[in-house]
Amino acid sequence: MVDLRTVSDAARDITTLMEGALTVEVQNAVERLVEEEQWELLSHLLLTSAEVSARQIANALIERKVLTPVVAAACMRREARRPSAASPRHEASARRIFRDFEQDNEGAGVPEHIVAEAEAIAASAEESRRIALQREAQLDRDPIRQHIVDELAKLLNTSEPAIDALLVIARASAWEDTRRTAAMKLANSNIAMSKLLRAGRIDDITTLAEASGSRAVAGKLAGSLADNMPEESSAGYRAALEFIAAHHPDAGRGREAQQKLNGGE
């Protein structure tokens, strides 16, 4: 937990990183906090700071193999939202629909069925806008999450912690696109997959298949798993057979796995 004294002493750097205005000042602030090994404070700033600051913080942490904060950011960091001007404009348009009706009160008036129809059209349009805005709010295109996944993927051939970091992101990120990207990076790394297969990490392999959202990836992993089966006595043996039976691209191999699950029937 970051103590109050640390926050107070780093007040200027915190402001600089939250604003992310000048690249040189951001770089200097990151370097000062890294030199002081303020990993916990940097982890908070990575979640909340401006994009230019977060990118430099992530790079500094990955370079020094301090991966827990970057994994947390890939799982929880949100895109900085900007206010939308669409809603007020649409509301003004809706009000204009009825302005002529209201101004016509002194004349013959507008037939009730036309007013009712206009109200129904306006209500339907408003509901469509509400749904569209809700869907837009569910999307989150923060580039820092993608940057973190890309940088960790560069370390897969040489770093066990990078494999574990991407596995956690594939399993736990709140954002589907980030989970999928992390899973694809791992599934496409022969070295990473070889390590998982040799270690018998069946649960991690099936997690990658699910997170990828790709039948091709699931088939590829099922094929690799069929060629590298764990011992029958191991805890993951049955789970491996179930995965192969469900996803192996060769129907015959899938049936063989299912027969073993059924006790050789």
Short mmCIF file of all heavy atoms in Angstrom, two decimals, residues 69 73 154 185 225 227 240:
data_model
loop_
_atom_site.label_atom_id
_atom_site.label_comp_id
_atom_site.label_asym_id
_atom_site.label_seq_id
_atom_site.Cartn_x
_atom_site.Cartn_y
_atom_site.Cartn_z
N PRO A 69 2.44 -5.18 -11.97
CA PRO A 69 1.65 -3.98 -12.30
C PRO A 69 1.17 -3.94 -13.74
O PRO A 69 0.06 -3.48 -14.01
CB PRO A 69 2.64 -2.83 -12.01
CG PRO A 69 3.64 -3.40 -11.08
CD PRO A 69 3.79 -4.83 -11.48
N ALA A 73 -2.70 -3.83 -15.15
CA ALA A 73 -3.17 -2.81 -16.10
C ALA A 73 -3.83 -3.45 -17.31
O ALA A 73 -4.86 -2.98 -17.81
CB ALA A 73 -2.01 -1.91 -16.52
N LYS A 154 7.00 -10.32 -26.89
CA LYS A 154 8.37 -10.31 -27.38
C LYS A 154 9.32 -11.10 -26.47
O LYS A 154 10.41 -11.47 -26.88
CB LYS A 154 8.87 -8.86 -27.48
CG LYS A 154 8.15 -8.03 -28.53
CD LYS A 154 8.62 -6.58 -28.49
CE LYS A 154 7.86 -5.72 -29.49
NZ LYS A 154 8.28 -4.29 -29.42
N LYS A 185 -1.37 -14.73 -28.87
CA LYS A 185 0.09 -14.59 -28.81
C LYS A 185 0.71 -15.86 -28.25
O LYS A 185 1.73 -16.36 -28.76
CB LYS A 185 0.46 -13.39 -27.94
CG LYS A 185 0.03 -12.04 -28.47
CD LYS A 185 0.87 -11.58 -29.64
CE LYS A 185 0.54 -10.13 -30.02
NZ LYS A 185 1.32 -9.68 -31.20
N LEU A 225 -1.98 -31.29 -28.05
CA LEU A 225 -2.20 -32.01 -26.80
C LEU A 225 -2.31 -33.52 -27.05
O LEU A 225 -1.79 -34.32 -26.27
CB LEU A 225 -3.47 -31.49 -26.13
CG LEU A 225 -3.76 -31.94 -24.70
CD1 LEU A 225 -2.57 -31.69 -23.80
CD2 LEU A 225 -4.99 -31.22 -24.17
N ASP A 227 -0.77 -35.18 -29.20
CA ASP A 227 0.58 -35.69 -29.45
C ASP A 227 1.48 -35.60 -28.21
O ASP A 227 2.62 -36.08 -28.24
CB ASP A 227 1.23 -34.91 -30.59
CG ASP A 227 0.52 -35.14 -31.92
OD1 ASP A 227 -0.12 -36.20 -32.07
OD2 ASP A 227 0.59 -34.24 -32.78
N ALA A 240 -7.77 -33.52 -20.58
CA ALA A 240 -7.11 -33.52 -21.89
C ALA A 240 -7.93 -34.32 -22.90
O ALA A 240 -8.13 -33.89 -24.04
CB ALA A 240 -5.70 -34.09 -21.77
#
